[in-house]
């Protein structure tokens, strides 16, 4: 079992940056692949980025590639999402998730644990 808490969301102008954090409590953080997802009002939850257990392999959605960077510090039980060049269409609630099989999949249903989310709003 792992509990996840996101932070770092807020209001930013288009072109700005934010860094989200996801702190995990519980044991064995380094045995989970981790992912970031987001959900805008009226839309389905969508994949943003994922990291394998070690953080050596990462995956991104096409919409955030080259703008967002996922990373993790297993010693601190923390995952990050550095978001640069933010756009109004990035506005959403961002969630972190943990997946026990280490697959770093893009499919939300494959993740076992979720945080409560943090709001990111990008103004034009």
């Amino acid at each position: 079992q792992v509990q996840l808490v996101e932070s770092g969301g807020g209001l930013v102008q288009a072109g700005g940056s934010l860094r989200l954090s996801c702190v995990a409590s519980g044991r064995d953080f380094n045995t989970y692949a981790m992912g970031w997802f987001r959900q805008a009002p009226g839309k389905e939850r969508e994949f943003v980025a994922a990291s394998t257990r070690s953080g050596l392999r990462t995956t991104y959605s096409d919409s955030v590639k080259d703008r967002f960077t996922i990373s993790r510090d297993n010693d601190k039980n923390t995952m990050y999402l550095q978001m640069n060049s933010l756009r109004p269409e990035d506005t959403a609630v961002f969630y972190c998730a943990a997946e026990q099989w280490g697959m770093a999949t893009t499919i939300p249903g494959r993740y076992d644990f979720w945080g409560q989310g943090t709001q990111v709003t990008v103004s034009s």
Side-chain angles (χ1 to χ4, degrees):
Q1 190 86 4
V2 62
Q3 293 78 45
L4 304 172
V5 178
E6 303 96 335
S7 63
L11 173 64
V12 64
Q13 288 189 329
S17 298
L18 284 173
R19 188 176 82 154
L20 306 184
S21 298
C22 172
V23 178
S25 60
R27 298 176 61 181
D28 303 326
F29 175 72
N30 61 356
T31 67
Y32 293 92
M34 298 295 295
W36 286 101
F37 293 81
R38 66 186 180 186
Q39 188 165 18
K43 295 189 176 182
E44 292 188 353
R45 192 167 297 190
E46 66 170 357
F47 169 76
V48 174
S51 167
T52 55
R53 292 162 172 158
S54 66
L56 293 179
R57 185 169 66 85
T58 57
T59 307
Y60 297 91
S61 69
D62 288 342
S63 62
V64 307
K65 211 170 194 177
D66 300 325
R67 298 188 299 125
F68 291 9
T69 303
I70 187 173
S71 62
R72 63 191 294 168
D73 185 337
N74 286 343
D75 291 335
K76 296 181 178 180
N77 282 12
T78 303
M79 175 179 67
Y80 305 97
L81 185 68
Q82 178 66 44
M83 305 187 295
N84 299 327
S85 303
L86 283 161
R87 305 166 180 169
E89 54 265 38
D90 293 318
T91 295
V93 177
F94 281 70
Y95 298 90
C96 68
E99 186 264 303
Q100 64 178 337
W101 301 111
M103 300 301 292
T105 177
T106 64
I107 303 171
R110 300 282 177 88
Y111 284 77
D112 304 289
F113 305 102
W114 292 83
Q116 293 301 305
T118 184
Q119 176 71 47
V120 171
T121 303
V122 184
S123 63
S124 56

